[in-house]
Amino acid sequence: MYTDCYCTQLRRASSGVTKIYDDALRAQGLRITQFSMLRGLQRLGQATLSELSEELALDRTTMSRGVKMLIDAGWVDATTGETDAREKILRLNERGKKKLSDAIPSWSKAQAKVEAHMKQHLKSTTEKRLIEALLSLQFSD
């Protein structure tokens, strides 16, 4: 459905982009949210739930559920914080590093697909082109 509201179109495009990445990562047993958490931990080295949440711009509730899944899968280790026993320090372990490494080619394919969609429409910066680009991501295969 067409609307000229950038916010609505961006939300719809976000769903379309998420589907592209989820489809690409499915063979690896990952969703893009999990992949992003693994990559965030890789970048940070170690992090508290709050630090990882800030890195990925996700709310703590969403992050908490996702991190629990990564811990249960055996990809992330959580240790008690030195100053606060309630705080958990998260680290990507060797299994998590391997999972992430194995998933990079699938992620790269999704990245190229999104880029191709965007390049079709962003030859100029007109409002119409931006809306067309966002629409194309909503209904991509």
Side-chain angles (χ1 to χ4, degrees):
M1 180 177 289
Y2 179 82
T3 176
D4 62 355
C5 175
Y6 291 142
C7 184
T8 299
Q9 292 295 6
L10 284 167
R11 288 163 97 51
R12 289 176 179 169
S14 177
S15 292
V17 169
T18 297
K19 183 179 180 326
I20 290 169
Y21 284 92
D22 281 349
D23 288 348
L25 292 167
R26 186 170 291 116
Q28 301 299 320
L30 288 172
R31 296 179 59 98
I32 189 59
T33 50
Q34 296 166 321
F35 178 86
S36 296
M37 288 179 199
L38 293 173
R39 263 187 106 186
L41 278 174
Q42 181 185 47
R43 280 191 302 274
L44 295 172
Q46 70 176 29
T48 64
L49 192 59
S50 294
E51 290 167 340
L52 185 58
S53 179
E54 185 176 318
E55 170 75 11
L56 300 177
L58 292 173
D59 67 85
R60 274 185 54 97
T61 305
T62 301
M63 184 63 63
S64 183
R65 284 190 304 263
V67 165
K68 183 181 180 332
M69 291 172 63
L70 299 179
I71 292 168
D72 291 348
W75 302 325
V76 170
D77 294 330
T79 56
T80 304
E82 291 179 18
T83 58
D84 185 349
R86 295 170 297 172
E87 184 177 69
K88 298 290 183 216
I89 306 298
L90 307 170
R91 288 181 189 85
L92 192 61
N93 62 30
E94 291 304 314
R95 286 185 65 207
K97 290 175 185 174
K98 171 109 173 72
K99 177 56 91 173
L100 184 57
S101 175
D102 290 348
I104 292 288
S106 298
W107 174 84
S108 294
K109 288 178 186 174
Q111 190 84 343
K113 187 172 184 176
V114 170
E115 189 174 288
H117 275 282
M118 296 302 285
K119 282 184 177 179
Q120 289 175 357
H121 299 282
L122 294 180
K123 295 178 180 116
S124 71
T125 58
T126 66
E127 176 184 295
K128 185 177 182 219
R129 293 283 183 187
L130 179 57
I131 293 296
E132 287 173 355
L134 296 172
L135 281 169
S136 78
L137 288 171
Q138 292 172 38
F139 304 106
S140 63
D141 294 330

